[in-house]
Amino acid sequence: MNIRKFQNKDAEEVSALIATTLRTTNIKDYSSDYIENDIKVLQPKNILERAGWTHFYVVCDNDKIIGCGAIGPYWDKEDECSLFTIFVLPEYQGKGIGRKIIQTLEQDEYFLRAKRIEIPASITGTPFYRKMGYDYKNGIKEPDSEGLLRLEKFR
């Protein structure tokens, strides 16, 4: 397995990976309507747009994309950043792929210049991010109006 920068030709496969993961893994914490709305806003064109303002990475097993993650500025601030779009195909979960994605993002220039890193985390992903050293922003442990938990890490 290797991790590399996202290429425009990856958009369709990444979008499909996200849809599969949401429908298989995240469905235990969210309604079908919520999942399908997320999938609508994570179509290939949206992935390409996100890749335009973040540093977007993919994890490949041979030629198959099995995971992805992105890091970008937090509201154009130089000393803060956010992690986005972190997904691993269900059949590869629990095998260290997510950890590899986080480690890659934490070596990126956006992370290295940041004093604070935020993750808009799904309910599903929160236990994993907490293991990776991220904690609840302002101690808030309940999902917000978007159904997400805001996690953060300080450097």
Side-chain angles (χ1 to χ4, degrees):
M1 280 179 255
N2 70 312
I3 195 159
R4 64 168 170 78
K5 288 267 186 147
F6 172 91
Q7 298 167 8
N8 288 348
K9 68 179 176 68
D10 299 329
E12 236 171 89
E13 193 173 354
V14 167
S15 181
L17 173 157
I18 292 168
T20 297
T21 304
L22 287 170
R23 288 178 177 138
T24 307
T25 304
N26 295 60
I27 195 68
K28 70 179 185 219
D29 296 311
Y30 294 95
S31 70
S32 297
D33 286 346
Y34 184 97
I35 296 290
E36 294 308 315
N37 283 333
D38 262 10
I39 290 168
K40 281 181 194 167
V41 298
L42 291 166
Q43 292 300 303
K45 67 178 181 182
N46 309 97
I47 300 298
L48 286 168
E49 180 185 313
R50 185 164 293 187
W53 59 270
T54 64
H55 294 168
F56 207 121
Y57 297 86
V58 295
V59 181
C60 301
D61 184 6
N62 295 313
D63 291 334
K64 180 180 181 179
I65 296 174
I66 60 167
C68 63
I71 186 168
Y74 180 83
W75 299 108
D76 297 323
K77 293 187 176 184
E78 287 289 319
D79 63 347
E80 295 183 90
C81 69
S82 291
L83 305 185
F84 303 100
T85 326
I86 299 169
F87 291 93
V88 175
L89 280 174
E91 61 268 29
Y92 288 88
Q93 291 172 7
K95 298 180 179 182
I97 309 299
R99 178 175 298 278
K100 184 173 185 162
I101 292 168
I102 296 292
Q103 289 169 341
T104 299
L105 297 174
E106 289 184 347
Q107 292 169 13
D108 185 273
E109 65 185 275
Y110 282 129
F111 184 91
L112 297 175
R113 75 179 193 198
K115 292 186 176 101
R116 189 183 79 85
I117 302 85
E118 184 167 311
I119 303 175
S122 67
I123 296 165
T124 314
T126 294
F128 167 73
Y129 298 127
R130 300 228 34 242
K131 282 187 211 164
M132 298 301 296
Y134 292 81
D135 205 356
Y136 299 103
K137 182 178 179 181
N138 300 322
I140 299 170
K141 298 178 180 179
E142 297 299 318
D144 62 17
S145 61
E146 294 179 64
L148 301 172
L149 292 116
R150 306 295 164 164
L151 304 178
E152 65 185 357
K153 180 188 271 189
F154 291 90
R155 293 183 359 97

